[in-house]
Amino acid sequence: RHLDGCGEVRPVEKQLLKMASFVTTISTSPVVPAADIESFGGRVVHAASIVDLPLGKMYFFLKYIRRLQAKLQRGTLTPDDPVHVPPSFVRAARRVVEFLSTTRRIARSHVTSESYAEIYTDASLTGYGIII
């Protein structure tokens, strides 16, 4: 466990614990609310930027989350609706969490004006275009 000077767990460690808990949840029950998948995707992108993990390695993982977000944006899916998570997503999530939990090197602070990865999407209502 990584403790700061006050004896509390660091925020990065808290996020890793939340992500590991989510992976355990989807491994046992692959039907979860859409909002949980969306928040997990945000945590992964944030943690990947901190440890400088290339987002290209998880293209299909991010593509699934992007399509889910497009459905939420269009209103065809509500945040409380149950979503069946495919096994490939579970495997990718497990790999990402394992990599992030074994990486101890902090490449850069998340409070910078620079960005190593940007996600561009189209402005259409279909939401199928994504460039990483």
Side-chain angles (χ1 to χ4, degrees):
R1 295 173 59 120
H2 296 283
L3 302 176
D4 63 5
C6 299
E8 294 185 13
V9 179
R10 287 192 221 161
V12 174
E13 189 71 20
K14 286 182 183 180
Q15 294 300 323
L16 284 173
L17 292 173
K18 288 179 183 179
M19 289 190 302
S21 171
F22 179 77
V23 170
T24 303
T25 301
I26 62 174
S27 296
T28 58
S29 172
V31 178
V32 294
D36 291 350
I37 298 173
E38 185 180 19
S39 64
F40 178 73
R43 285 188 183 106
V44 166
V45 171
H46 182 255
S49 70
I50 291 174
V51 298
D52 205 21
L53 175 67
L55 294 177
K57 290 184 176 183
M58 49 182 139
Y59 174 78
F60 293 105
F61 173 80
L62 293 173
K63 187 175 180 179
Y64 178 80
I65 293 173
R66 173 62 185 107
R67 287 185 177 175
L68 181 75
Q69 288 175 334
K71 289 179 185 178
L72 288 167
Q73 184 69 26
R74 284 193 308 263
T76 58
L77 190 66
T78 64
D80 297 328
D81 284 345
V83 176
H84 180 73
V85 181
S88 59
F89 182 86
V90 175
R91 285 190 302 270
R94 190 176 296 125
R95 279 195 309 268
V96 168
V97 171
E98 285 174 3
F99 178 81
L100 290 173
S101 62
T102 58
T103 302
R104 295 294 175 214
R105 168 184 69 92
I106 302 298
R108 63 184 181 93
S109 171
H110 65 283
V111 186
T112 63
S113 60
E114 299 179 37
S115 174
Y116 287 98
E118 296 178 14
I119 297 178
Y120 298 98
T121 60
D122 61 355
S124 69
L125 292 177
T126 58
Y128 288 111
I130 183 168
I131 301 171
I132 294 179

